[in-house]
Amino acid sequence: MQSQYFYRYAIHDKMKKDTSSKGSVKLFWQWIEKKIAIIGNNKISTSFVFAMMNQQLNVEACLIAEKKSHMIKDMQYGTSFRSRTTLISGNFGECRNASLIVFTHDPFMDTKDMQQASSIVRKFVKQWMETGFQGICVVATPQSEVVAHWIMKFSGLATDRIIALGTMLDTAHLQSELGRYFQVNPKNVHAYMIGSTLEYGVPIWSRAYIGGRPILSYIMDEPDRYSFEKLEPIVAQISEFPREPLAEGRLFDCSIALGLTELVKVILEDAEMILTVGVYVQEKFGVTSGFISIPAVVGASGVKKVVPLTLSDAEQKQLVTTVKALDTAVQSGLSNEGGSKRGV
């Protein structure tokens, strides 16, 4: 197995030197099997693996958990029907040659104390960083922007290689419901929920479009048919589900798993897609420095760039409230962890 990975990386190094065709490099990455280490044994991790299998992602998925799950054996049998996805279980040593770590363990499951939660995150980070891991880390937990910030502090990984699932699901939900409201396909809806899953997300109505036409113009031209009052229940509904813990009875496991699969696929295939994910920013959107969910271009190297947004005064004010809540949550978990110093 070790020689197999050495062979893959040798090919990768050779192709990186040939910069004459970016398209050929993308085709290479779609052909070669990549390894994903999934840390956490819950419904999100198993649903995520099942979604990858059904989408025929060419990956070796390794579930890393303290307790073995009967679901692993069940899905391993299922890979005979979806042979492009390989499923194994293992320990943290598997992180050494992983392209991605997908962190799904909920540090808030057994505690509401932020310092205890950050200590749990630090324990996991220490174990995977000791293997020499230098890939991309995707965070799919409650308060994912907060957890991503802690991972940055404890790991020393480059900030563009840490991505939180953030409000990606919120944005998908908003686009779906707006499509229903305006009676168009959701793919024709361009609207974002930004901010955080910790506090209410901020719908960016000033930059929302249906088929290239601003939503604001629909409301102004047909006030009897469209109004912000009718849109408020959609936002209220979206604001509720991120607060649910990762428990057995949690809703939206399937949509979270599919969203997570989409994010991972974008990274592995270097799709350079704009997604509303939790990324590290400095001196933008009222953030001095930290993780916040905003539209960003994502590809094989992680976060390639942040998409600039001009917000209305009301939207900026809402976002400032979210930023303050995020900073408070992050710092409350770091008070005994060496302040702002990065690294384990």
Side-chain angles (χ1 to χ4, degrees):
M1 181 67 74
Q2 186 173 356
S3 60
Q4 183 182 16
Y5 282 110
F6 176 79
Y7 174 70
R8 290 173 184 169
Y9 290 135
I11 297 174
H12 176 216
D13 291 339
K14 183 178 179 181
M15 289 199 68
K16 281 201 299 184
K17 294 175 183 178
D18 179 14
T19 58
S20 60
S21 175
K22 186 176 181 181
S24 65
V25 175
K26 285 192 176 184
L27 287 174
F28 164 75
W29 276 113
Q30 291 176 26
W31 170 78
I32 195 171
E33 183 185 68
K34 298 92 173 177
K35 184 175 182 180
I36 299 176
I38 305 164
I39 300 174
N41 187 0
N42 49 37
K43 288 191 70 177
I44 295 299
S45 59
T46 53
S47 297
F48 168 52
V49 171
F50 189 67
M52 285 196 297
M53 287 169 55
N54 277 286
Q55 292 199 22
Q56 291 278 46
L57 290 195
N58 186 28
V59 298
E60 180 186 57
C62 179
L63 278 166
I64 299 171
E66 294 178 355
K67 295 181 180 179
K68 301 244 177 171
S69 168
H70 69 278
M71 288 290 293
I72 296 178
K73 182 63 69 176
D74 182 17
M75 288 189 293
Q76 282 175 331
Y77 290 142
T79 56
S80 61
F81 302 105
R82 291 289 186 268
S83 56
R84 284 174 62 85
T85 304
T86 305
L87 177 60
I88 63 173
S89 59
N91 56 32
F92 277 90
E94 300 288 346
C95 297
R96 178 183 61 84
N97 50 19
S99 300
L100 279 88
I101 282 177
V102 177
F103 186 61
T104 69
H105 182 85
D106 180 4
F108 308 101
M109 177 66 75
D110 298 319
T111 180
K112 293 183 179 180
D113 184 273
M114 298 300 279
Q115 290 183 24
Q116 290 182 18
S118 71
S119 295
I120 292 170
V121 173
R122 181 169 186 165
K123 179 187 73 172
F124 282 105
V125 172
K126 186 175 187 294
Q127 291 181 87
W128 82 58
M129 290 305 297
E130 285 178 345
T131 70
F133 172 77
Q134 287 298 317
I136 293 173
C137 180
V138 173
V139 185
T141 67
Q143 303 186 38
S144 60
E145 300 92 355
V146 174
V147 175
H149 199 115
W150 291 342
I151 289 174
M152 178 198 72
K153 294 289 186 182
F154 303 147
S155 69
L157 288 170
T159 56
D160 59 355
R161 301 185 74 78
I162 303 172
I163 306 173
L165 191 59
T167 58
M168 185 175 167
L169 183 62
D170 304 48
T171 291
H173 191 119
L174 178 65
Q175 292 172 347
S176 178
E177 291 300 319
L178 287 176
R180 188 190 308 274
Y181 179 61
F182 287 96
Q183 297 182 322
V184 298
N185 191 301
K187 292 185 180 295
N188 297 127
V189 178
H190 295 277
Y192 300 118
M193 286 283 288
I194 69 171
S196 169
T197 55
L198 174 64
E199 290 289 317
Y200 289 170
V202 181
I204 307 303
W205 300 124
S206 64
R207 293 294 177 266
Y209 298 86
I210 305 290
R213 181 186 176 192
I215 282 181
L216 294 176
S217 70
Y218 282 86
I219 294 174
M220 291 176 62
D221 293 346
E222 301 180 72
D224 294 336
R225 184 177 179 184
Y226 304 115
S227 67
F228 281 119
E229 288 73 19
K230 293 179 180 179
L231 295 176
E232 286 177 359
I234 296 176
V235 178
Q237 182 183 8
I238 295 172
S239 302
E240 291 173 2
F241 63 76
R243 297 170 175 269
E244 299 172 7
L246 285 173
E248 288 299 309
R250 181 189 168 114
L251 300 175
F252 305 107
D253 281 326
C254 292
S255 54
I256 291 172
L258 288 169
L260 184 54
T261 302
E262 177 72 6
L263 172 56
V264 167
K265 185 178 179 181
V266 166
I267 294 170
L268 296 181
E269 296 183 357
D270 196 20
E272 297 183 331
M273 186 176 291
I274 297 175
L275 302 171
T276 48
V277 288
V279 301
Y280 185 84
V281 300
Q282 289 183 295
E283 304 300 336
K284 289 186 177 71
F285 304 103
V287 182
T288 302
S289 64
F291 280 80
I292 187 170
S293 286
I294 50 175
V297 179
V298 178
S301 61
V303 179
K304 295 196 169 185
K305 61 181 177 181
V306 170
V307 177
L309 283 178
T310 302
L311 307 179
S312 69
D313 291 343
E315 291 161 352
Q316 184 62 51
K317 186 176 180 180
Q318 283 182 276
L319 195 58
V320 167
T321 301
T322 297
V323 167
K324 289 180 179 178
L326 275 171
D327 186 61
T328 299
V330 167
Q331 296 306 322
S332 63
L334 292 175
S335 56
N336 290 336
E337 299 290 355
S340 60
K341 183 179 179 180
R342 289 184 58 192
V344 177

